[in-house]
Amino acid sequence: MAITHAGTTVTTRPTVSGGTLASTVPVGAVYAEGSVLDWGASLAEGTVILDDEVAPNAPWSAVVRKGHVLTIVDVGGNQSADCLLYNADDPEERYSVPDTLAWQGNAYVRTGTVLRSNEGRPLMTVVGNEIDRQDTIGGACGKESNTLRYGHHVMFHHGCRENFLAEASRRGLGARDIVSNLNWFMNVPVEADGALGIVDGMSAPGRRVAVRAETDVLVMVSNCPQMNNPCNDFNPTPLRMIVVEPDHAAGPSGPAAHTPPSAGTTGGTA
């Protein structure tokens, strides 16, 4: 039952013990017909190799060949695109949050950021980015974490972890291969005291990010189903994934040389 009080809708549900549970969190909301959508285009010019629509709440994966550029379009705005990267020839080498952040000396992902593996090697480079910063510290939602954070009434919701597991199984991977991820278009500010928050996004319909593969990379994405915080504006919308073989070199000339983070890295604090 839903009750509106002072402009706020409170939903109540019965519990197993016979009581009631009240929440202002919209449960089970889905893509709203009539939402403003902007399908955008690739940020790199060249031959289109792949052009896919990812439905709201769904997973996606593809191998992006070395030198090719993947553009991710936030079609509806503020739609978190959780992302994992693997060396396509050796998935034991995969995206590493600590290596990426340590090498660049900054907590945010921006244009020019080299996305590094657990071996410290470049997997992809951000060559285009239409929002101020991208997140790689907020992690991925899942049934267990949603239940812990928001209550048992959301325990039936699948999350990005479930999407990752489903897509990983198609690629011969499993639970041990799911590591900390990127969150394209999600806003996770780092406050002065070090606290993190998941707040209203900075994106908008049609905003894009583009990454160039520095080796053959398996890219796995969950079009986030999260309905318990503002990361999707409580309205999951589609993503567009465009892979292009560029006509010429895109973005920076290449990733930073393979040297330790302490030897000549630039950047600052978050």
Side-chain angles (χ1 to χ4, degrees), residues 44-118:
E45 296 182 357
T47 302
V48 175
I49 304 299
L50 186 69
D51 188 348
D52 286 345
E53 174 185 346
V54 186
N57 311 328
W60 174 92
S61 66
V63 173
V64 181
R65 300 299 178 187
K66 181 177 180 179
H68 291 187
V69 175
L70 166 65
T71 297
I72 305 174
V73 183
D74 186 5
V75 174
N78 293 342
Q79 176 61 37
S80 179
D82 290 39
C83 181
L84 289 171
L85 310 174
Y86 303 85
N87 181 329
D89 297 320
D90 179 15
E92 291 290 327
E93 183 177 15
R94 67 279 306 267
Y95 176 67
S96 169
V97 172
D99 284 277
T100 296
L101 299 190
W103 279 72
Q104 73 168 3
N106 196 292
Y108 294 126
V109 174
R110 292 185 168 98
T111 304
T113 293
V114 179
L115 305 173
R116 294 187 181 270
S117 75
N118 53 330

Side-chain angles (χ1 to χ4, degrees), residues 31 33 35-43 50-56 71-77 79 130 185 204-209 223 236-242:
Y31 161 54
E33 294 294 337
S35 296
V36 174
L37 302 179
D38 183 342
W39 293 94
S42 174
L43 278 171
L50 186 69
D51 188 348
D52 286 345
E53 174 185 346
V54 186
T71 297
I72 305 174
V73 183
D74 186 5
V75 174
Q79 176 61 37
E130 293 185 333
F185 309 118
R207 295 288 176 87
R208 300 166 292 178
V209 62
N223 192 356
T237 48
L239 296 170
R240 184 181 181 188
M241 319 294 287
I242 312 168

Side-chain angles (χ1 to χ4, degrees), residues 97-181:
V97 172
D99 284 277
T100 296
L101 299 190
W103 279 72
Q104 73 168 3
N106 196 292
Y108 294 126
V109 174
R110 292 185 168 98
T111 304
T113 293
V114 179
L115 305 173
R116 294 187 181 270
S117 75
N118 53 330
E119 300 292 337
R121 287 191 283 262
L123 290 174
M124 306 189 91
T125 300
V126 181
V127 295
N129 179 28
E130 293 185 333
I131 67 172
D132 179 58
R133 60 176 186 257
Q134 304 280 359
D135 170 64
T136 189
I137 51 181
C141 63
K143 290 173 65 176
E144 293 84 358
S145 62
N146 283 343
T147 300
L148 180 65
R149 296 176 66 184
Y150 305 113
H152 287 277
H153 63 296
V154 302
M155 67 184 299
F156 62 91
H157 288 187
H158 84 282
C160 288
R161 178 172 171 79
E162 287 70 44
N163 274 348
F164 283 147
L165 288 170
E167 196 65 18
S169 68
R170 297 181 56 246
R171 298 285 180 173
L173 304 175
R176 67 182 298 274
D177 299 301
I178 308 302
V179 295
S180 296
N181 59 285

Side-chain angles (χ1 to χ4, degrees), residues 176-245:
R176 67 182 298 274
D177 299 301
I178 308 302
V179 295
S180 296
N181 59 285
L182 291 142
N183 290 303
W184 303 117
F185 309 118
M186 191 167 82
N187 187 15
V188 182
V190 181
E191 306 295 348
D193 62 358
L196 305 178
I198 299 175
V199 299
D200 289 343
M202 299 179 291
S203 187
R207 295 288 176 87
R208 300 166 292 178
V209 62
V211 286
R212 182 185 61 225
E214 308 300 349
T215 188
D216 290 353
V217 177
L218 170 62
V219 180
M220 193 180 303
V221 166
S222 168
N223 192 356
C224 184
Q226 180 60 266
M227 286 306 309
N228 305 290
N229 64 51
C231 72
N232 295 339
D233 198 28
F234 303 112
N235 180 29
T237 48
L239 296 170
R240 184 181 181 188
M241 319 294 287
I242 312 168
V243 178
V244 163
E245 182 178 4

